Amino acid sequence: MPGLLRRVKSKMFIFAHRRTLTLLDGEYGSVFKGRSLDFDELRAYVPGDEVRDIDWKATARHGSPLVKRYVAVRRHSVLLLVDAGRTMAAQALSGEPKKDIAVHAAGVLGYLASRHGDDVGLLQGDTVASTYIPPRQGEEHLERLLQEIDAIAVDSPASAIAEQLDYALKYLKGRLLIVVIADEFMPDPRAEALMRRLRARHEVLWLTIRDADLALETGGRSQDSTDVGTGRGIPAALAVDATVRAAYATAMLHRGQQRDAIFRRLGIAEELTTGSEDVLPAVFALLEKHRSGIRAARSAGKGGRSAG
């Protein structure tokens, strides 16, 4: 078994009991439950067909009732959309490099998809370029995807997840389950518009890797740090100042509330992870949030039709 994938599997079985893995497996499968049909063709209506399957526009053109015929989708395509900018080489809240957590999260999701016979692909990039590897099956393919994510470095170009969202909208066809793995990025109006369009075309889930604390510690002592995104230094004396930390905490709380409001408004399930040890519960919570959101949307739709 290849290296990075072996490491991911080892962590999965260290951090989770078999029952947890079974529940996670079932939660992944529920994402597609009831949504695994693709349009095949139109055919003449026959008694016993569902009225809701009638294509009224085609019927009007043809002059007699036509119904849509569907076929079951046996295999789905999962796209891991990963921020590969230099901020992902910075430390997460757990003290690990964010890219290591991204590798672990991508490995867990890829492993789940593979167990269900689904294809897995990768779209990652920065301000300069986007790299796309089409969905396929197999552990060697998944290992290749993880190696691509692992290549993120501090000297990589700046992060720009909006560019990868735009790439997906322009060039990727067919309905996908897209899982975005990024840090605590704040969507601007352009990014929000792209997220809305992507959500309309695909199933979109968002896993956010938490940023490191303001002051880093080594052996119980605070040390100077550097903002990887800007290259500016953060003196330890300033980072541990009580007034500065209070202002920073308030600003981050407000920022988090703004982000939550955006994701709720867009109907995109988001979950936070602080490090490798909580990736499994974070993925489980993310899948459950997405499923709950689908269920709520369906209930609201039925209620709206009944009220009309």
Side-chain angles (χ1 to χ4, degrees):
M1 189 193 305
L4 289 175
L5 185 55
R6 183 192 298 118
R7 191 186 311 165
V8 169
K9 286 187 176 182
S10 296
K11 286 184 178 180
M12 286 180 70
F13 288 101
I14 288 172
F15 297 143
H17 297 294
R18 181 173 297 178
R19 181 173 178 274
T20 304
L21 294 175
T22 300
L23 290 172
L24 184 61
D25 207 37
E27 200 64 50
Y28 173 86
S30 71
V31 171
F32 292 110
K33 190 174 182 180
R35 306 168 75 86
S36 301
L37 297 175
D38 268 357
F39 173 73
D40 184 37
E41 63 180 0
L42 290 170
R43 64 165 174 77
Y45 174 86
V46 296
D49 283 338
E50 293 278 354
V51 174
R52 65 185 178 185
D53 288 338
I54 295 176
D55 187 323
W56 295 107
K57 289 184 179 180
T59 294
R61 291 194 300 267
H62 188 263
S64 60
L66 295 175
V67 297
K68 294 178 181 178
R69 180 174 178 272
Y70 297 88
V71 294
V73 177
R74 299 299 181 187
R75 197 162 74 189
H76 304 93
S77 293
V78 177
L79 180 70
L80 303 170
L81 196 157
V82 181
D83 179 0
R86 60 174 172 262
T87 58
M88 291 295 283
Q91 285 190 16
L93 193 57
S94 64
E96 304 165 86
K98 292 178 186 175
K99 71 164 186 174
D100 289 359
I101 302 169
V103 167
H104 187 50
V108 168
L109 289 158
Y111 173 72
L112 288 173
S114 297
R115 280 175 57 85
H116 284 259
D118 295 334
D119 296 334
V120 187
L122 174 68
L123 172 59
Q124 69 170 21
D126 44 49
T127 53
V128 176
S130 294
T131 300
Y132 174 60
I133 302 175
R136 285 179 49 198
Q137 288 186 325
E139 292 198 346
E140 288 189 7
H141 173 71
L142 182 53
E143 175 69 16
R144 179 192 173 194
L145 305 188
L146 300 184
Q147 293 286 353
E148 288 284 339
I149 300 170
D150 193 50
I152 298 170
V154 176
D155 60 355
S156 297
S159 297
I161 198 71
E163 299 307 317
Q164 285 69 62
L165 299 175
D166 189 49
Y167 183 102
L169 285 165
K170 285 180 178 177
Y171 301 114
L172 304 188
K173 308 301 180 183
R175 194 165 179 83
L176 302 166
L177 172 64
I178 299 178
V179 184
V180 181
I181 303 174
D183 65 1
E184 294 184 75
F185 125 99
M186 172 63 77
D188 58 18
R190 175 177 177 249
E192 187 174 345
L194 291 169
M195 291 163 70
R196 181 177 292 107
R197 290 173 57 200
L198 199 69
R199 169 70 177 80
R201 295 188 194 179
H202 306 283
E203 304 281 351
V204 181
L205 297 83
W206 204 287
L207 185 65
T208 295
I209 300 173
R210 293 284 309 277
D211 293 334
D213 198 3
L214 184 61
L216 301 178
E217 292 188 357
T218 302
R221 298 180 59 186
S222 297
Q223 59 175 337
D224 293 345
S225 56
T226 302
D227 184 326
V228 173
T230 63
R232 296 173 182 170
I234 305 174
L238 183 64
V240 299
D241 181 85
T243 303
V244 172
R245 292 184 68 81
Y248 177 78
T250 299
M252 292 304 292
L253 177 62
H254 179 63
R255 187 175 185 271
Q257 292 170 340
Q258 288 182 306
R259 291 183 77 257
D260 289 345
I262 290 172
F263 281 95
R264 283 198 303 270
R265 185 163 62 243
L266 295 175
I268 295 176
E270 185 209 20
E271 188 60 37
L272 307 177
T273 178
T274 61
S276 295
E277 291 193 15
D278 73 353
V279 162
L280 276 179
V283 169
F284 183 89
L286 179 62
L287 294 171
E288 203 283 328
K289 275 186 182 179
H290 182 70
R291 180 169 60 86
S292 297
I294 292 171
R295 190 166 54 227
R298 287 175 177 169
S299 297
K302 289 177 182 178
R305 287 193 293 274
S306 298

